[in-house]
Amino acid sequence: MEYNTAVCRGIPKSLIEGGLRLENDHSPIDEALMRRQHDEYTDALKKCGLKVIELPADESLPDCVFTEDAAVVFVKKAVLTNQGHPARRAEVNEMRKALEQAGVEIFDMTEEPDSHVDGGDVLFTGSEIFIGDSKRSNKAGADFLRKSFGIPVHQIKVDEGLHLKSNCSMLGLNKIIISNDKDGKSMAKEIMEAAQNPYTFVFVSDIKASNVVSFNKTVFIPAGYPESRKIIEENVGKEIKLVELGNTELAKVDGCLTCCSILINA
Ligand code: CIR
């Protein structure tokens, strides 16, 4: 898909001790490396021609760098989410400003206190949405997306991981990259059963490599997974540029590559 704008956010120092953490890797975050990796990510978006709206970090919101969770954008419409974890709900305030700046029509889920969605659960294929039935996103949230965007929205069970996109993401048009483990396999089965369009699945054995950012003939992939890179290369066209980005530090607080931006065609 084609995009011209990204919304990113700075990293508060409070993430290091106060970030929500499900990941088994409890090793300490290397702050300098984390900041360098995040700068490389936003620079890479800019190099691909995107205008990057960079929201300021907020120390009272340790996880605010993960902008993906605070909104879901579909063409010229955006849903501001009522995030699943109470500690993250106020992230939406800065996001509202960014989306107003981008000029999209806004639907506000925070007006429905029982509806919950984290953007990390939302796999948007271009014509329909698969949404994790997870710790963070529920049926009322899925219904809100369906009502706002007017496209099919299907719930997919997430057992172990944090979000649906902890195990999968779009690799290209109608092509889903997904982890080759128990969770990924059962998600692929559910997606296939619910889908209104045909999709091909590309399975990778590194869970972390199943989260890629695909846009404007470019795919951002996490660095350090050579076997998965090879599979990705074999499954995208020669015209697609692969950009490897280090994500070791934000991964310690369950952050994947898609988490750190919202892409918009404003
Ligand atoms: C959280 O648990 O909410 C954060 N530590 C990680 C959020 C990652 N976001 C994403 O996958 N979209």
Side-chain angles (χ1 to χ4, degrees):
M1 278 173 267
E2 294 287 316
Y3 299 98
N4 58 20
T5 306
V7 183
C8 297
R9 197 161 183 177
I11 309 178
K13 216 175 168 49
S14 55
L15 177 68
I16 295 164
E17 296 299 330
L20 299 169
R21 217 162 164 154
L22 186 82
E23 177 61 60
N24 293 327
D25 177 1
H26 287 290
S27 57
I29 292 175
D30 177 335
E31 181 176 358
L33 180 57
M34 170 180 74
R35 294 193 184 281
R36 196 160 68 237
Q37 290 178 338
H38 190 55
D39 287 346
E40 284 167 5
Y41 179 91
T42 48
D43 285 350
L45 289 169
K46 290 176 194 163
K47 273 194 200 124
C48 291
L50 269 69
K51 171 184 168 197
V52 179
I53 300 175
E54 292 182 270
L55 301 174
D58 182 335
E59 288 300 333
S60 69
L61 297 169
D63 285 290
C64 66
V65 63
F66 302 118
T67 52
E68 172 178 56
D69 295 319
V72 179
V73 177
F74 167 64
V75 196
K76 303 277 182 210
K77 295 179 178 180
V79 167
L80 283 169
T81 60
N82 187 27
Q83 290 196 51
H85 198 291
R88 298 199 55 194
R89 294 197 184 136
E91 291 173 19
V92 83
N93 298 329
E94 278 295 319
M95 182 56 69
R96 186 189 311 274
K97 295 182 203 160
L99 295 177
E100 282 169 1
Q101 192 184 325
V104 293
E105 184 185 0
I106 295 176
F107 298 82
D108 193 346
M109 188 183 287
T110 64
E111 289 167 4
E112 286 193 5
D114 295 333
S115 302
H116 295 294
V117 166
D118 276 12
D121 270 317
V122 178
L123 183 71
F124 171 53
T125 70
S127 55
E128 58 190 321
I129 284 175
F130 299 98
I131 177 168
D133 175 4
S134 71
K135 299 168 186 63
R136 301 283 179 89
S137 303
N138 63 10
K139 180 171 181 309
D143 292 342
F144 191 96
L145 294 187
R146 191 179 301 111
K147 193 172 64 188
S148 306
F149 295 146
I151 59 172
V153 176
H154 319 281
Q155 276 189 294
I156 303 295
K157 189 77 201 123
V158 174
D159 281 326
E160 295 287 324
L162 179 62
H163 291 133
L164 179 66
K165 284 192 291 187
S166 308
N167 291 76
C168 65
S169 54
M170 295 311 293
L171 181 59
L173 184 66
N174 294 341
K175 198 173 275 184
I176 296 170
I177 181 167
I178 194 155
S179 62
N180 193 17
D181 58 357
K182 187 169 143 283
D183 285 359
K185 284 179 191 155
S186 80
M187 286 171 186
K189 185 166 173 286
E190 276 194 49
I191 290 173
M192 253 183 301
E193 284 166 2
Q196 303 206 346
N197 295 291
Y199 297 99
T200 49
F201 291 87
V202 174
F203 287 93
V204 284
S205 44
D206 304 301
I207 298 185
K208 292 207 164 32
S210 69
N211 183 282
V212 304
V213 188
S214 170
F215 67 104
N216 305 8
K217 300 209 172 353
T218 304
V219 183
F220 287 179
I221 62 175
Y225 303 101
E227 275 177 40
S228 296
R229 183 191 166 113
K230 201 160 167 285
I231 293 171
I232 291 169
E233 271 167 356
E234 288 163 3
N235 282 281
V236 295
K238 290 266 173 288
E239 73 285 8
I240 303 295
K241 186 174 72 179
L242 298 187
V243 178
E244 277 198 24
L245 291 166
N247 188 49
T248 52
E249 302 314 293
L250 288 179
K252 292 173 186 169
V253 273
D254 303 304
C256 310
L257 287 183
T258 60
C259 312
C260 292
S261 59
I262 291 208
L263 302 184
I264 309 174
N265 206 352

